[in-house]
Amino acid sequence: MAAPRQGPRWGVVTCWVLWLGLTACLQDGDGAGRTGEKDLGACGCSNNRASGGEAAAQKYSLEASASQQLKQEPGAMPSKNEGSKMVLIPAGVFTMGTDEPAIQQDGEWPARRVHVDSFYMDRYEVSNAEFEKFVNATGYLTEAEKFGDSFVFEGMLSEQVKSGIQQAVAAAPWWMPVKGANWRHPEGPDSDISNRIDHPVLHVSWNDAVAFCTWAGKRLPTEAEWEYSCRGGLENRLFPWGNKLHPRGQHYANIWQGEFPMSNTEEDGYKGTAPVTAFPPNGYGLYNMVGNSWEWTLDWWAVNHSADETYNPKGPSTGTDRVKKGGSYMCHKSYCYRYRCAARSQNTPDSSASNLGFRCAADTLLDNGKK
């Protein structure tokens, strides 16, 4: 995978991945962000592939649109019932972020009042089935396919694949660069999605997600829209359903149970991803807003935020990394307590991994059913 940029940024903790002959390092500014017995942010969530950026995003969006115009047949259009898979999120004001950050270096704070106009949000994460429609209609190749590799969690790999890997991420050795890993082959060449067609598509970069959303007549949600949607109408709660992780003993999200990364007891029923329809929805009718797979947002990454009240914020105008939200099936409170609505992380726009997906948003529903 990719050689990320080096050096500290904003004097906070950032894991930089250097693979294939390079080494990873953990920059620590003044020690801020260390909470609990372990570093709750040291999960390797920000493994990066360095290149491209905004220019690449525009390029791939144009490629997708052009490819759609050239190749798309009437039967290949996004389904007419696609509108039923989006939810109208009402306009409102909410408290974004928190004044009690669990991972300070991630910029979860301060809490601030944010106004959001109404918009539509995908009810589910984009599934392998939906992404396959896009690829079949356009001939699109993801960046993982073009680069020839992607990051995969070691615990999901076969012994045959692991035996051929000589490098791992030093700061997070459970992440391995796997040749041939992509959305069709999530754990490398000896895996496929035949029994996971209704699971979230993985190994999609920010650029890939933008290309899909553009093709579907949608867009990525802003971080504010995503967090507002995640909260489902609740105020100042940790999770989309409240403050208790397992209310009434029920699992509401697909996260890691057991001791990370050694043993996953799979108490929620899943070792890896779950179907996009799994677990109860939040108050807005949205599924898997936390856990299962990370979700890209539109915003550039920054960790310093004003406490002033804002209207429809869209984040910084430029940057190097994009914000992702929600955590994944790999998240555990001891290492990656990011399955909270206020939690956040980042990757370069061309990065991909076996726990990274997306969902789309839209300002209006299109007449043909696309959103």
Side-chain angles (χ1 to χ4, degrees):
M1 299 285 299
R5 302 160 305 285
Q6 301 183 49
R9 189 167 61 224
W10 304 296
V12 295
V13 180
T14 306
C15 295
W16 293 123
V17 180
L18 303 171
W19 90 273
L20 290 181
L22 301 177
T23 58
C25 68
L26 189 63
Q27 293 286 351
D28 191 352
D30 59 2
R34 303 284 181 178
T35 59
E37 297 180 358
K38 300 177 181 177
D39 180 0
L40 304 186
C43 62
C45 294
S46 301
N47 296 339
N48 288 331
R49 185 200 297 280
S51 74
E54 182 74 8
Q58 295 176 355
K59 172 186 174 222
Y60 291 120
S61 294
L62 291 172
E63 282 182 357
S65 297
S67 182
Q68 178 189 12
Q69 293 173 1
L70 290 172
K71 296 185 177 184
Q72 195 149 12
E73 300 175 358
M77 290 290 287
S79 60
K80 296 295 184 180
N81 67 350
E82 190 74 8
S84 64
K85 298 178 182 177
M86 292 199 96
V87 173
L88 176 62
I89 308 298
V93 59
F94 77 110
T95 302
M96 184 174 180
T98 176
D99 284 329
E100 299 178 350
I103 308 175
Q104 292 189 27
Q105 71 264 24
D106 283 355
E108 299 178 359
W109 55 286
R112 60 264 189 203
R113 298 295 284 171
V114 173
H115 296 256
V116 178
D117 289 341
S118 64
F119 64 99
Y120 290 87
M121 188 77 149
D122 278 353
R123 188 180 299 272
Y124 311 111
E125 297 157 318
V126 174
S127 67
N128 285 313
E130 291 299 317
F131 199 79
E132 186 174 52
K133 292 177 186 177
F134 161 60
V135 170
N136 289 343
T138 64
Y140 184 82
L141 284 177
T142 62
E143 295 197 276
E145 291 170 295
K146 291 182 178 181
F147 281 112
D149 58 50
S150 190
F151 278 113
V152 180
F153 173 54
E154 184 265 349
M156 302 296 291
L157 294 175
S158 68
E159 292 301 322
Q160 179 178 355
V161 170
K162 282 192 285 188
S163 66
I165 299 174
Q166 305 301 318
Q167 300 290 329
V169 179
W174 46 86
W175 280 117
M176 293 188 171
V178 177
K179 293 185 182 300
N182 55 57
W183 75 274
R184 293 185 188 274
H185 306 286
E187 292 81 52
D190 63 352
S191 65
D192 60 49
I193 57 171
S194 59
N195 65 341
R196 289 176 278 181
I197 202 69
D198 59 346
H199 287 222
V201 64
L202 304 173
H203 297 288
V204 284
S205 69
W206 185 90
N207 299 317
D208 299 330
V210 168
F212 176 95
C213 292
T214 300
W215 169 78
K218 307 179 187 181
R219 59 174 175 80
L220 286 175
T222 65
E223 182 179 8
E225 289 174 334
W226 192 99
E227 187 168 328
Y228 179 56
S229 298
C230 179
R231 295 182 180 279
L234 300 179
E235 268 287 296
N236 298 312
R237 296 294 185 268
L238 291 173
F239 312 116
W241 55 87
N243 282 330
K244 293 184 178 180
L245 182 59
H246 301 126
R248 298 177 298 280
Q250 184 175 1
H251 289 277
Y252 277 71
N254 177 18
I255 57 175
W256 189 280
Q257 292 92 40
E259 186 178 356
F260 184 85
M262 282 73 73
S263 64
N264 185 351
T265 59
E266 303 175 42
E267 295 167 29
D268 57 20
Y270 301 96
K271 178 181 180 181
T273 55
V276 298
T277 56
F279 303 100
N282 72 0
Y284 288 149
L286 305 177
Y287 289 73
N288 291 292
M289 288 299 291
V290 297
N292 218 25
S293 72
W294 280 100
E295 298 181 15
W296 288 110
T297 73
L298 187 65
D299 293 28
W300 288 112
W301 172 261
V303 295
N304 297 314
H305 313 288
S306 170
D308 294 342
E309 192 167 6
T310 57
Y311 292 77
N312 300 307
K314 293 181 170 58
S317 58
T318 60
T320 56
D321 293 3
R322 296 286 185 172
V323 177
K324 62 182 183 179
K325 298 278 284 184
S328 78
Y329 66 89
M330 291 176 58
C331 283
H332 187 277
K333 188 173 184 179
S334 65
Y335 273 95
C336 185
Y337 190 31
R338 293 186 172 96
Y339 47 92
R340 296 167 292 113
C341 293
R344 57 204 301 270
S345 189
Q346 91 281 9
N347 282 104
T348 55
D350 55 1
S351 295
S352 60
S354 62
N355 66 344
L356 182 51
F358 69 104
R359 76 178 72 210
C360 302
D363 297 316
T364 60
L365 296 183
L366 301 185
D367 291 341
N368 64 2
K370 295 190 295 181
K371 306 187 273 296

